[in-house]
Amino acid sequence: MPNLDFYAVDDDWPAILGAVFGLGLFRVFESDSEPDRELREFQALAEVPDGRPGRSLALFAAGSGPEPLARRIDFLPGVRPDATFRYCCEGWGLILLRHGAAAGTRELRRSRTNHNSEKRAAAWSATLPRLGDPADWDWTAVTGASGRLNRAIRRLAVGKIGARPVLPHAAAFIAQAGLRYEYGIGLHATPA
């Protein structure tokens, strides 16, 4: 599963989204809809909402495969008293972009890009038949678009922690909060 883990904070997110839209390769969807709402597709940076709905996106490399699916997930009665369902965006070759935000000043969770490989999709295809045949995807196009996105994010970085790029505002946050210990899903102020 080709991926890139990197460190970013909220103020870095507009630059990341600028790279996504600037590449001109992707249709951009919410990974998960807001409760009781349809899944949204965003045409421009200004349409992506602040907060949780804009922090987990599904990127469809145009022409790489079948249209993404919006799968409805019904909540069990009583689980969400204010909502009854949500949608998630699915497709074998979608590229996920997740923003791992700061947890106060004691932790910064890694952000990440990720997508299936052809081999993994084929291995899981019998388990998830609703996603169709992985052979319908142009895996070279998926991997190429993912690689271009990862390179664009690396170009935004001002440093690295191990192999993980650190974007400018994240670097300032890390220094200010004294985050020095990398374990679990991010950087922490105290050792494990």
Side-chain angles (χ1 to χ4, degrees), residues 161-179:
I161 295 176
R164 295 171 181 84
V166 179
L167 276 60
H169 295 284
F173 177 83
I174 290 165
Q176 190 172 50
L179 303 180

Side-chain angles (χ1 to χ4, degrees), residues 40 42 78 87 102 113 122 182 190:
R40 294 180 289 181
F42 306 115
Y87 285 92
T113 68
E182 189 174 31
T190 56

Side-chain angles (χ1 to χ4, degrees), residues 8-16 50-51 55 99-102 108 169-170 173:
V9 294
D10 290 348
D11 290 339
D12 292 311
W13 200 241
I16 294 165
D50 287 333
R55 298 302 196 243
H99 176 37
L108 177 59
H169 295 284
F173 177 83

Side-chain angles (χ1 to χ4, degrees), residues 1-4 95 113-118 143 146 150:
M1 293 175 58
N3 71 294
L4 175 67
I95 300 163
T113 68
N114 202 11
H115 66 86
N116 280 314
S117 66
E118 182 176 10
T143 302
S146 176
N150 291 346

Side-chain angles (χ1 to χ4, degrees), residues 2-147:
N3 71 294
L4 175 67
D5 288 342
F6 60 97
Y7 289 106
V9 294
D10 290 348
D11 290 339
D12 292 311
W13 200 241
I16 294 165
L17 293 177
V20 168
F21 286 102
L23 287 170
L25 299 172
F26 303 109
R27 289 177 56 198
V28 180
F29 296 88
E30 292 176 302
S31 248
D32 297 285
S33 74
E34 293 185 67
D36 286 343
R37 301 268 172 99
E38 298 291 320
L39 197 67
R40 294 180 289 181
E41 180 177 358
F42 306 115
Q43 305 294 325
L45 176 94
E47 294 178 10
V48 180
D50 287 333
R52 189 207 64 78
R55 298 302 196 243
S56 182
L57 301 173
L59 310 178
F60 175 64
S64 65
E67 286 289 308
L69 304 172
R71 181 171 61 101
R72 183 180 165 121
I73 299 170
D74 292 314
F75 299 136
L76 293 172
V79 170
R80 295 283 312 250
D82 59 334
T84 58
F85 69 90
R86 70 175 173 84
Y87 285 92
C88 69
C89 190
E90 295 184 332
W92 287 122
L94 294 179
I95 300 163
L96 299 180
L97 174 61
R98 298 199 190 280
H99 176 37
T105 59
R106 301 187 51 83
E107 178 185 7
L108 177 59
R109 295 181 181 146
R110 288 189 297 268
S111 295
R112 147 176 274 220
T113 68
N114 202 11
H115 66 86
N116 280 314
S117 66
E118 182 176 10
K119 183 178 177 180
R120 183 179 187 280
W124 281 91
S125 63
T127 306
L128 298 167
R130 71 177 179 272
L131 298 182
D133 187 351
D136 292 341
W137 288 83
D138 178 348
W139 292 100
T140 301
V142 171
T143 302
S146 176

